[in-house]
Amino acid sequence: MALEEGARSSLLRFRHKLEQDIKPSYLMDHLISDGVLTVDEEERIKTQPTRKDQAAALLELLLRKDNRAYISFYNALITEAYEDLANLLHGDLPQISLSALKGSSDGCTPTVQAVLSQGGVPQRPVVFVSRLELVNRVREKLFLVEKAPGWVTVFGMAGSGKSVLAAEAVRHQGIIEECFPGGVHWLSIGQLDKPDLLAKMQSLCFRLEQSMDSQSLHRTPNSLDEAKERLRFLMLRRYPRSLLILDDVWDTTVLKAFDIHSRVLLTTRNRALADSVSGAKYQVEVESGLDENKGMEILALYTKTEVCALPEDARNIVRECKGSPLVVSLIGALLKEKPNRWHYYLRQLQQKQFKRIRKSSSYDYDALDQAMSASIEVLPDEHREFYKDLTVLENDIKVPAKVLAVLWDLEPEEVEDILEEFVNKSLLFVDNHNKPYLYYLHDLQLDFLVEQNRTQLESLHNKVVHQYQQHYRDGPPHLRRCGELYSLMFSLDWVSIKARIMGPAHLINDYVEYGPVLDKENSDVRSHFQEFLSLNGHHLEQRPFPDVVQLALSQPHSSEVYRQALLQAQGGARTGRLYFDWLNKSSVENLSRLVLHPQQGSIYSTCFSHDGTRIASCGASKTLKVFRSTSGEKLTEIQAHDDEVLCCAFSPDDRLLATCSSDRKVKVWNVERAMLLRVFEEEHSEQVNHCQFTNTTKRLLLATCSNDKFLNVKLWNLNKPSSQNTMFGHFEPVNHCCFSPDDAYVSTSSNDGTVKLFKVSSANEWKTIKVSDMFEESDEEVFVKCSTWTADGKRIICAARNAALVFDVETSDMLLEIKTNRLSTVQFCHACPTSNLLAIAFSNYAVELWDLESNNKVADCSGHLSWVQRVEFSPDGSQLLSCSDDQTVRLWETKKVHTSSAVCLKRDSDVLFNDEEIIVSAADNCNRLQVRDGRTGSVLFQSEEMSSRIRCTCMCRQPSAVALGQQDGTVQVEHTYTYSTS
């Protein structure tokens, strides 16, 4: 239908105003979504040099389109807040119902439906939930085979929804008209022998020839070669721009039969299948699970219930199967008939009773166990046995090939080849963000293996024990038998062996997972081993591998870890080995719960996910890493930027991570897939110091700030390529930005000595707090490092120089000042979201917790060996993260830390040994000289705070004196103490 004259006239009449105001990039997303603009047309418009030229090109294109394009453009103006421009066009809207427009918004017009029906493409399932991101990824690949033949492979594990995605990808007018005007031809394959394959090809030839005039009909081909040549002729001569879809392909024989220089979309569980054929190849991996909301939506549609009215068992079903589309659909169909069986089917899932989860449907397999066993049955016999051995692994545990090389008694290279076959056939998953690669099973795959091999579990575990005893004379990686579990996990030898092979995170995870079982034997010993690993894991990741006995000798004398280490050290000493036993360790208390060594170089930022299960960190190494908060297991590693990464932040739903860098870029990542989603560049001209998401997803925004002189604070809508708002007011670099708890305001902290509060809705400045006025006048500038809001949003705390200042948000009055010694600076502060605690990070290596109500320090967190750059409470306030230039991240339990009499002594020290006496002199973190008894830690002498930083000390026996050198060049001698001489 051509564009009505009134609509055309309206576009021409207001053309100048539209060209002046609109941002075409914002609007074209909507036009593409409605199917009235193609990706190629968008690219042509984007080649125009300026925004105004792009707007002119878009309007010129709209004038050549139909009424649907005009209505789509009008709706896009409203969606993108151009209401005034939309009002100009409203009077000439063509008379097409909005419901009709909505019905074709996915591009599935009656014409498209007719083409797909003629080609045998399946209709949408009765219950259908859109997975638009995946569908668009398939469509992007299909556009790549528009001009030349090629293969698009959609692969994933059983029941991941590959066939539905393939059908949905071609259910689009733009795809049909632009890429495949010759039609789309669907062929369901499955597991076939050669006669069945020939029958499929004969059927396709008949279908293609039937639509031509009777003169061109040929006899039925009698062999695969003849059928292949017939199809080659038909696809090249009669249907030159058509798409052939091969659904559920298992074997390379099938692909070779269809290697006819055509455009092919295939679905398979084997990602490497297309390697056997010629032509361009593209791949789309289908994730094994839907997100929780999509899974709930499917169950709601099956049971004709609102999502909000579903029982809690519904959410638990989705979680238990990790969002598997097959499982959710199977259970949904069962519940449609028996709506009161929510708990029953949840229990069947939990008890791995897959045979009871079955339905009749268009899916090839009636029950979940059949779908999974089909993938395993096509493996060679020997590899089937290897796959069965994976039954002994645990949920969510990733193992390197080296572990399985011991189990299978094969070379690591042979094992890698076998595992690659499993991965290619979607029977195993690989985390290739680690070196070496780590392999793991989906929960459903592991549950299926355990159920299938239940009668052989003991023999499978015995095999693991035997192989590892042969190889190391001790210890398997993961097993469930209690007697061996106690003897292994309470053994320092086994801890050393497993940490060397798999790293400390897997070990810590074992003590967490098996804690209830181990505690029945001895909860104290379990605690000793778990604490040893948590506090020394960063050492156990180093290469060359450290001496575990020497590390264990640093544990308290009451620890079982220390007892075993002492016995081994004494035995080693008899053979000439040297070990050091720390005599005065009781004077130092380590309050950390977990210590990580994520990367080389300073760590500038660390943060919790909002569910508290993960920790992200970034820094000088240019990488972003994500760890499990209970064990420190590395989950993801991304080479994120071209320069130092200065900040990282989780989105409120934990699906996204934002990073910003000295390279002036802001990036947004998909956490689970470690995939880059957005890059915001060019708007910040200097390094970007901080980024933070809003606290809720209600209106998701990202705030960033930079060293730019003027345009240094920006708000980003992730759906738009450029910033939504720029906040003006600072004329010096902005170090930090932070949303208020209700997301109504953004606070910004700057080198101009101020904190500014901006309204998020308007981006206008609300008020300025002049932090610099709180300090006595001096030549030194006041740089505000950061700001943090209290949970009630009524107070804001700022870090500047050596103080943390608390202000009333409404009045801007200072309520409280927390000061430290003048030679250290406050690097960062963070208010607890659930209490009155404030965490402060200092340049003197310390972390302190303060009670904002009583103005008292309630805890010292000592352990870092250099400047502490960032602190952050967990969302529930029970834990605290800190990161430092010492290349470590430490996790503290806020209820277990407390004020300590222990003082951090600097490394520039002197020691006197005199018979049994040991005397130590050193500067402390308050720049005082201390002389201590080395055995007891008791203070023999302490000076006043020095005016210049102490850089070295030297003790003299007679007379009793200490010389100290200071940064200003002076040397001072202090008479200190007396001690007995022999």
Side-chain angles (χ1 to χ4, degrees), residues 173-188:
Q173 185 170 353
I175 289 283
I176 302 296
E177 291 181 352
E178 296 286 323
C179 300
F180 311 116
V184 177
H185 311 287
W186 181 285
L187 206 59
S188 296

Side-chain angles (χ1 to χ4, degrees), residues 426-472:
S426 301
L427 289 167
L428 191 68
F429 293 87
V430 60
D431 180 354
N432 51 21
H433 298 292
N434 289 276
K435 296 287 189 274
Y437 290 174
L438 298 178
Y439 299 89
Y440 61 100
L441 290 164
H442 189 281
D443 284 6
L444 286 174
Q445 292 168 329
L446 183 57
D447 291 343
F448 172 74
L449 283 176
V450 172
E451 179 65 22
Q452 286 288 99
N453 304 309
R454 188 168 295 282
T455 59
Q456 303 175 55
L457 285 179
E458 185 171 355
S459 63
L460 289 169
H461 283 291
N462 284 336
K463 177 181 177 180
V464 177
V465 174
H466 174 74
Q467 288 297 103
Y468 268 78
Q469 284 175 341
Q470 290 293 311
H471 197 273
Y472 291 108

Side-chain angles (χ1 to χ4, degrees), residues 38 40 111-116 118-119 121 135 137-152 166-186 208 235 238-245 261-266 282:
T38 67
D40 281 352
T111 304
V112 170
Q113 288 284 26
V115 170
L116 299 183
Q118 187 176 3
V121 178
V135 169
R137 280 165 54 200
V138 178
R139 286 173 179 166
E140 286 171 11
K141 304 303 181 189
L142 290 175
F143 273 108
L144 296 176
V145 296
E146 174 194 356
K147 301 219 172 8
W151 304 78
V152 178
E168 194 62 22
V170 295
R171 196 169 279 117
H172 189 277
Q173 185 170 353
I175 289 283
I176 302 296
E177 291 181 352
E178 296 286 323
C179 300
F180 311 116
V184 177
H185 311 287
W186 181 285
L208 294 175
M235 298 301 280
R238 302 302 176 93
Y239 300 93
R241 294 185 62 196
S242 62
L243 176 68
L244 178 59
I245 302 179
H261 202 64
S262 184
R263 296 159 178 79
V264 182
L265 169 64
L266 67 112
Y282 309 96

Side-chain angles (χ1 to χ4, degrees), residues 171-300:
R171 196 169 279 117
H172 189 277
Q173 185 170 353
I175 289 283
I176 302 296
E177 291 181 352
E178 296 286 323
C179 300
F180 311 116
V184 177
H185 311 287
W186 181 285
L187 206 59
S188 296
I189 304 297
Q191 297 185 56
L192 299 173
D193 55 19
K194 286 189 176 181
D196 289 336
L197 175 58
L198 177 58
K200 293 274 186 184
M201 297 177 75
Q202 289 170 339
S203 171
L204 180 60
C205 289
F206 178 76
R207 191 197 310 166
L208 294 175
E209 291 174 331
Q210 195 176 37
S211 61
M212 304 184 312
D213 50 81
S214 58
Q215 299 294 323
S216 60
L217 291 175
H218 295 80
R219 67 174 178 81
T220 303
N222 292 322
S223 68
L224 288 177
D225 288 339
E226 189 179 342
K228 181 176 179 179
E229 287 306 312
R230 180 77 58 82
L231 283 174
R232 187 197 306 276
F233 172 81
L234 289 169
M235 298 301 280
L236 290 177
R237 300 292 183 87
R238 302 302 176 93
Y239 300 93
R241 294 185 62 196
S242 62
L243 176 68
L244 178 59
I245 302 179
L246 303 177
D247 182 41
D248 194 25
V249 181
W250 289 74
D251 193 77
T252 56
T253 305
V254 173
L255 286 200
K256 289 176 181 177
F258 288 97
D259 191 2
I260 54 177
H261 202 64
S262 184
R263 296 159 178 79
V264 182
L265 169 64
L266 67 112
T267 71
T268 179
R269 304 183 193 187
N270 188 344
R271 74 169 71 197
L273 206 62
D275 293 347
S276 62
V277 292
S278 59
K281 302 177 185 75
Y282 309 96
Q283 290 187 338
V284 177
E285 181 174 8
V286 181
E287 296 96 334
S288 55
L290 303 164
D291 64 46
E292 194 170 284
N293 292 335
K294 293 284 187 188
M296 295 284 282
E297 190 179 341
I298 288 177
L299 292 175

Side-chain angles (χ1 to χ4, degrees), residues 710-981:
F710 305 109
L711 310 179
N712 41 29
V713 182
K714 294 182 180 290
L715 289 181
W716 308 83
N717 181 327
L718 302 191
N719 294 319
K720 299 180 180 180
S722 56
S723 62
Q724 176 165 301
N725 280 309
T726 300
M727 298 174 173
F728 301 93
H730 291 293
F731 298 100
E732 294 292 336
V734 179
N735 301 308
H736 184 266
C737 52
C738 180
F739 285 98
S740 61
D742 62 0
D743 293 331
Y745 301 97
V746 173
S747 64
T748 57
S749 309
S750 170
N751 285 357
D752 62 14
T754 68
V755 168
K756 292 183 181 288
L757 306 184
F758 294 88
K759 292 183 178 179
V760 173
S761 58
S762 63
N764 293 329
E765 182 181 330
W766 180 43
K767 62 176 58 183
T768 297
I769 299 174
K770 294 184 178 180
V771 180
S772 56
D773 291 353
M774 303 299 113
F775 294 88
E776 297 178 3
E777 288 190 20
S778 69
D779 294 334
E780 186 182 352
E781 293 179 293
V782 176
F783 297 158
V784 186
K785 294 286 187 71
C786 72
S787 57
T788 178
W789 299 73
T790 55
D792 59 9
K794 294 180 179 179
R795 291 167 292 172
I796 193 165
I797 303 103
C798 314
R801 289 191 182 175
N802 64 335
L805 310 172
V806 184
F807 292 90
D808 183 284
V809 171
E810 282 296 326
T811 65
S812 301
D813 294 337
M814 187 174 77
L815 307 175
L816 182 64
E817 180 181 33
I818 300 171
K819 269 200 171 182
T820 184
N821 77 80
R822 59 187 178 78
L823 291 178
S824 70
T825 60
V826 175
Q827 294 293 102
F828 203 84
C829 61
H830 187 240
C832 180
T834 60
S835 70
N836 289 314
L837 288 179
L838 176 72
I840 307 176
F842 293 98
S843 63
N844 66 0
Y845 315 169
V847 175
E848 295 178 359
L849 294 185
W850 285 72
D851 188 313
L852 293 174
E853 292 301 313
S854 63
N855 191 20
N856 288 324
K857 181 168 71 171
V858 296
D860 292 298
C861 304
S862 57
H864 283 297
L865 303 176
S866 189
W867 287 29
V868 184
Q869 296 289 0
R870 189 72 52 96
V871 285
E872 181 177 298
F873 285 99
S874 61
D876 65 0
S878 65
Q879 299 181 102
L880 177 72
L881 274 178
S882 59
C883 63
S884 165
D885 287 350
D886 67 6
Q887 304 182 20
T888 66
V889 172
R890 288 179 180 261
L891 188 148
W892 320 78
E893 291 185 85
T894 53
K895 291 182 180 178
K896 293 186 178 179
V897 294
H898 53 78
T899 53
S900 169
S901 60
V903 173
C904 180
L905 298 179
K906 300 292 184 177
R907 65 190 70 182
D908 300 313
S909 59
D910 192 23
V911 183
L912 281 181
F913 297 94
N914 186 45
D915 292 334
E916 293 299 312
E917 279 191 312
I918 302 172
I919 309 298
V920 181
S921 70
D924 67 14
N925 54 352
C926 295
N927 204 44
R928 300 171 300 197
L929 173 67
Q930 290 205 11
V931 180
R932 288 178 173 255
D933 185 308
R935 289 188 176 277
T936 66
S938 59
V939 179
L940 303 175
F941 170 82
Q942 179 175 292
S943 73
E944 296 296 321
E945 184 180 337
M946 298 294 176
S947 58
S948 181
R949 192 180 297 276
I950 300 171
R951 286 303 188 188
C952 58
T953 69
C954 181
M955 286 190 292
C956 176
R957 293 176 185 272
Q958 294 292 345
S960 301
V962 180
L964 54 95
Q966 300 181 67
Q967 187 166 310
D968 63 3
T970 61
V971 176
Q972 192 168 325
V973 179
E974 297 276 343
H975 288 277
T976 57
Y977 57 89
T978 59
Y979 55 89
S980 59
T981 58

Side-chain angles (χ1 to χ4, degrees), residues 650-687:
F650 279 98
S651 64
D653 59 6
D654 292 333
R655 294 176 62 194
L656 308 176
L657 258 173
T659 57
C660 59
S661 167
S662 298
D663 66 9
R664 306 189 298 277
K665 295 176 184 176
V666 179
K667 297 185 178 183
V668 180
W669 307 85
N670 178 298
V671 178
E672 291 300 323
R673 292 164 51 200
M675 187 179 80
L676 181 63
L677 299 179
R678 279 286 191 185
V679 181
F680 299 120
E681 51 187 332
E682 298 180 357
E683 293 204 31
H684 284 299
S685 59
E686 299 290 340
Q687 72 174 35

